Amino acid sequence: AQSVTQLGSHVSVSEGALVLLRCNYSSSVPPYLFWYVQYPNQGLQLLLKYTSAATLVKGINGFEAEFKKSETSFHLTKPSAHMSDAAEYFCAVNPLKAAGNKLTFGGGTRVLVKP
Amino acid sequence: DAMVIQNPRYQVTQFGKPVTLSCSQTLNHNVMYWYQQKSSQAPKLLFHYYDKDFNNEADTPDNFQSRRPNTSFCFLDIRSPGLGDAAMYLCATSRDPPRGETQYFGPGTRLLVL
């Protein structure tokens, strides 16, 4: 079964510093890839997704992610962290052979932003 | 605004007492999903409806059931909640096909089992 691995369950960054969240998938065929953000006691909100168009995907709130087939990665970045970026981030994959739009989520990365 | 609505946001039930969580959507999406999310974990898919076709995940306990009376509404029934069922329950919707469609999530219902 296709899986998603997020390196680092917790990341701490200073306000204004680069945010880098790592996501690797296991598949010989590139799947569709998503990044979602979850604020405390809320549902998940889509940040961005890759569906085999441009490899550099721009999302909301200044986030972007780059699909690298050779590295089977889809890392999420933001040049300058803001206090409001403190949340949990999930990478997810929609395997090409999965029925419908079922998602497999990574374990999540909680981001703490220090003043 | 089109959205996914979940009620209530917080639900307290007693051990073994049946409970129903509800989800509605104004997106007119034909696919609806129910996820269970325990503390500090990723959401886990319980089942999904493609129109009225029900699709259960292989490891979803029999204690969990669902109903979808129409396109807009979907219910999650927990027949005999145990302490281990305390979690956030998330409803999501998407169009299908084509593949790669975004899933839109509701705010979730946090279930507490006493």
Side-chain angles (χ1 to χ4, degrees), chain B residues 89-102:
Chain B
Y89 289 88
L90 297 166
C91 175
T93 73
S94 76
R95 296 183 296 175
D96 182 72
R99 188 170 299 285
E101 285 292 319
T102 299

Side-chain angles (χ1 to χ4, degrees), chain A residues 48-66:
Chain A
L48 48 81
K49 67 179 181 181
Y50 168 78
T51 56
S52 73
T55 56
L56 183 61
V57 182
K58 293 188 183 298
I60 62 170
N61 301 341
F63 284 93
E64 64 181 36
E66 186 172 9

Side-chain angles (χ1 to χ4, degrees), chain B:
Chain B
D1 288 341
M3 56 198 311
V4 182
I5 302 160
Q6 290 189 247
N7 286 307
R9 293 293 313 277
Y10 298 89
Q11 176 74 56
V12 180
T13 189
Q14 292 178 333
F15 182 93
K17 184 175 181 181
V19 65
T20 295
L21 309 182
S22 71
C23 176
S24 64
Q25 54 133 338
T26 60
L27 296 162
N28 202 33
H29 286 166
N30 57 337
V31 190
M32 294 187 76
Y33 310 79
W34 277 105
Y35 290 87
Q36 179 192 64
Q37 186 180 26
K38 296 190 175 180
S39 182
S40 300
Q41 295 185 21
K44 178 180 178 297
L45 183 64
L46 295 173
F47 25 61
H48 74 281
Y49 276 93
Y50 178 70
D51 291 323
K52 288 198 170 184
D53 292 335
F54 177 71
N55 298 272
N56 201 29
E57 293 300 298
D59 56 354
T60 298
D62 293 340
N63 198 27
F64 291 85
Q65 297 180 334
S66 184
R67 296 170 283 134
R68 188 179 186 185
N70 54 52
T71 300
S72 300
F73 286 86
C74 196
F75 300 98
L76 169 63
D77 301 309
I78 308 177
R79 291 192 296 181
S80 181
L83 298 179
D85 297 327
M88 174 78 91
Y89 289 88
L90 297 166
C91 175
T93 73
S94 76
R95 296 183 296 175
D96 182 72
R99 188 170 299 285
E101 285 292 319
T102 299
Q103 287 192 21
Y104 294 86
F105 285 79
T109 295
R110 185 167 294 281
L111 178 68
L112 180 62
V113 181
L114 300 178

Side-chain angles (χ1 to χ4, degrees), chain A residues 34-88:
Chain A
F34 303 77
W35 275 100
Y36 281 88
V37 61
Q38 186 176 33
Y39 299 100
N41 289 315
Q42 294 189 27
L44 279 68
Q45 180 183 10
L46 181 72
L47 281 176
L48 48 81
K49 67 179 181 181
Y50 168 78
T51 56
S52 73
T55 56
L56 183 61
V57 182
K58 293 188 183 298
I60 62 170
N61 301 341
F63 284 93
E64 64 181 36
E66 186 172 9
F67 172 74
K68 291 187 176 180
K69 182 179 177 180
S70 61
E71 298 177 7
T72 60
S73 70
F74 190 55
H75 301 332
L76 180 72
T77 60
K78 181 174 179 177
S80 177
H82 190 272
M83 295 299 290
S84 61
D85 295 325
E88 185 140 26

Side-chain angles (χ1 to χ4, degrees), chain A residues 20 22-23 29 47 54-55 65 67 74 83-84 97 103 110:
Chain A
L20 169 61
R22 300 179 187 274
C23 173
V29 178
L47 281 176
T55 56
F67 172 74
F74 190 55
M83 295 299 290
S84 61
K97 292 186 178 180
L103 294 175
R110 188 172 296 277

